[in-house]
């Protein structure tokens, strides 16, 4: 009886263990969603890589998280979506970043997807022999997007040349019309960013008159997240940042299929993707230089009355989600 009883107890124990294992396997975590906003800027190449390789979806699968990708043409409409609780996390340039953090909806900067001064340039027509340097700015027609990083870049070039906006004719344009503006000679030069720079140079239409590193421009972009979302989903935000960092490491060895997808997303030739990416520092964490650069952006926007008042950007920076 003793041996039979022990065998019975052992059988019951094993059966219970097997049932428990299957029960735990079938038990899913509560369903959650993350809405990620992206825009066709070369600064966000790693996020496109993560998207096209399903890195984030795979990493969050065990947490029962659904990833929704949202495509925007630029930062301002992305900001509106964040403020309206229609987006959870977005990658945006320095100007929309500081504007988002100054808004009524509480948000924070959890990282820097990229920074790169030479991702910004002043381009003149390739055949314009009278415009070769920022020193030739006086009396010229300069086109860029009002209130953009390009606008701030022009301001810095003018200051370096000992000039002001009174010494040029400023033309406000949309970034998408930069090629038309140059080809039609509507302006002598355009202040623009990647991948527009490389696209116009590759066509033989433009030449570089000045680059960002000729000034103190840093070209800091931001990972912006709504406070309300991150309060309950910090683990999701942390995973997105870490997957972004892993995607950065893939850039030197991208295969043909990935290059083709990036080419289509950014409207640039496949063989230009790696050279463009080399203009950026994909650091992820927001360093002191990034914070100072964003503070400079705030001061610039206040100076052109495009932002109501100065505030301290450092109060909105939180690197802890990437450092976890």
């Amino acid at each position: 009886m003793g041996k039979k009883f022990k065998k019975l107890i052992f059988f019951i124990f094993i059966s219970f263990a097997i049932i428990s294992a299957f029960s735990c396997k079938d038990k899913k975590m509560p369903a959650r969603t993350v809405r990620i906003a992206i825009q066709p800027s070369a600064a966000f190449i790693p996020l496109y890589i993560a998207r096209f390789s399903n890195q984030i979806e795979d990493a969050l699968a065990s947490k029962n998280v659904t990833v929704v990708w949202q495509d925007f043409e630029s930062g301002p409409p992305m900001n509106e979506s964040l403020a309206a609780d229609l987006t959870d996390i977005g990658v945006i340039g320095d100007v929309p970043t500081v504007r988002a953090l100054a808004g009524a909806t509480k948000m924070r900067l959890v990282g820097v997807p990229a920074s790169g001064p030479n991702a910004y340039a002043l381009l003149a027509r390739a055949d314009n022999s009278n415009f070769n340097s920022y020193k030739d700015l006086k009396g010229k027609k300069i086109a860029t997007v009002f209130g953009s990083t390009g606008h701030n870049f022009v301001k810095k070039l003018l200051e370096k040349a000992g000039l002001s906006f009174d010494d040029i004719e400023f033309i406000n344009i949309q970034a998408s019309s930069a090629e038309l503006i140059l080809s039609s000679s509507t302006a002598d030069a355009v202040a623009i960013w990647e991948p527009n720079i490389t696209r116009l140079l590759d066509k033989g239409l433009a030449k570089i008159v000045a680059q960002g590193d000729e000034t103190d421009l840093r070209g800091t972009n931001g990972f912006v997240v709504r406070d309300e979302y991150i309060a309950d989903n910090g683990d999701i935000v942390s995973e997105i940042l870490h997957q972004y960092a892993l995607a950065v490491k893939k850039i030197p060895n991208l295969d043909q299929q990935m290059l083709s997808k990036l080419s289509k997303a950014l409207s640039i030739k496949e063989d230009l993707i790696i050279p463009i990416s080399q203009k950026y520092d994909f650091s992820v964490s927001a360093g002191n230089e990034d914070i100072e650069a964003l503070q400079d952006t705030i001061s610039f926007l206040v100076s052109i009355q495009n932002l109501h008042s100065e505030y301290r950007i450092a109060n909105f920076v939180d690197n802890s989600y990437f450092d976890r």
Side-chain angles (χ1 to χ4, degrees):
M1 289 292 291
K3 288 183 177 180
K4 289 183 178 180
F5 181 74
K6 287 181 180 179
K7 287 182 179 180
L8 178 62
I9 294 298
F10 179 75
F11 177 75
I12 293 172
F13 175 78
I14 293 298
S15 298
F16 179 78
I18 293 172
I19 292 171
S20 297
F22 276 100
S23 297
C24 291
K25 187 176 180 181
D26 292 337
K27 191 176 182 180
K28 291 184 177 180
M29 296 181 69
R32 291 183 289 172
T33 299
V34 61
R35 298 165 296 182
I36 307 173
I38 192 170
Q39 57 177 306
S41 166
F44 311 130
I45 285 175
L47 191 57
Y48 276 108
I49 293 172
R51 177 184 186 177
F52 296 145
S53 59
N54 290 317
Q55 276 182 235
I56 296 174
E57 286 86 347
D58 292 343
L60 293 174
S62 62
K63 296 179 182 289
N64 198 19
V65 177
T66 298
V67 178
V68 177
W69 292 94
Q70 300 173 325
D71 292 284
F72 291 83
E73 285 299 315
S74 61
M78 192 183 295
N79 275 359
E80 293 176 7
S81 187
L82 280 162
D85 189 16
L86 299 174
T87 293
D88 302 312
I89 180 171
V91 282
I92 47 182
D94 59 351
V95 170
T97 290
V98 301
R99 292 192 66 82
L101 299 178
T105 302
K106 291 185 178 180
M107 304 184 203
R108 71 182 74 180
L109 181 76
V110 294
V112 171
S115 60
N118 286 348
Y120 298 85
L122 184 66
L123 303 179
R125 279 179 60 97
D127 58 3
N128 188 344
S129 60
N130 296 318
F131 204 167
N132 301 297
S133 163
Y134 69 90
K135 297 176 183 178
D136 301 322
L137 273 166
K138 190 170 184 178
K140 299 294 194 300
K141 295 179 180 179
I142 309 299
T144 193
V145 181
F146 179 85
S148 68
T149 309
H151 190 172
N152 193 13
F153 178 41
V154 172
K155 178 176 179 287
K156 292 177 181 297
L157 289 174
L158 287 169
E159 291 172 349
K160 187 172 183 178
L163 304 171
S164 71
F165 280 102
D166 291 335
D167 294 302
I168 64 169
E169 182 178 338
F170 182 88
I171 302 173
N172 182 26
I173 63 169
Q174 295 294 321
S176 58
S177 60
E179 180 174 348
L180 176 62
I181 294 296
L182 271 185
S183 61
S184 64
S185 296
T186 301
D188 295 301
V190 295
I192 203 68
W193 44 87
E194 292 290 6
N196 302 285
I197 297 168
T198 297
R199 190 184 301 122
L200 294 177
L201 292 176
D202 184 62
K203 289 184 175 182
L205 175 63
K207 65 178 181 181
I208 294 177
V209 171
Q211 294 189 112
D213 67 356
E214 294 179 61
T215 69
D216 62 352
L217 186 76
R218 183 168 174 78
T220 296
N221 298 273
F223 274 110
V224 177
V225 186
R226 291 184 301 105
D227 271 18
E228 186 179 1
Y229 181 81
I230 205 171
D232 298 319
N233 302 285
D235 59 326
I236 294 177
V237 172
S238 181
E239 191 62 62
I240 290 171
L241 296 176
H242 280 94
Q243 290 303 316
Y244 188 92
L246 290 175
V248 171
K249 296 179 180 179
K250 293 183 176 181
I251 293 176
N253 302 301
L254 296 176
D255 59 30
Q256 193 60 44
Q257 185 179 19
M258 182 60 71
L259 287 171
S260 177
K261 290 180 179 180
L262 291 171
S263 172
K264 184 177 180 180
L266 299 174
S267 300
I268 51 175
K269 294 180 180 178
E270 294 176 12
D271 61 345
L272 299 177
I273 291 170
I274 300 300
I276 290 177
S277 71
Q278 293 171 342
K279 292 186 176 185
Y280 294 96
D281 174 17
F282 300 108
S283 60
V284 187
S285 286
N288 291 332
E289 288 184 326
D290 296 305
I291 294 171
E292 290 173 4
L294 290 172
Q295 194 65 51
D296 174 77
T297 300
I298 292 172
S299 299
F300 161 68
L301 292 176
V302 172
S303 73
I304 62 170
Q305 299 181 334
N306 201 240
L307 192 64
H308 180 64
S309 61
E310 191 103 7
Y311 69 92
R312 297 303 301 168
I313 191 74
N315 295 336
F316 297 85
V317 177
D318 188 347
N319 281 314
S320 65
Y321 292 91
F322 181 63
D323 295 337
R324 292 183 181 186

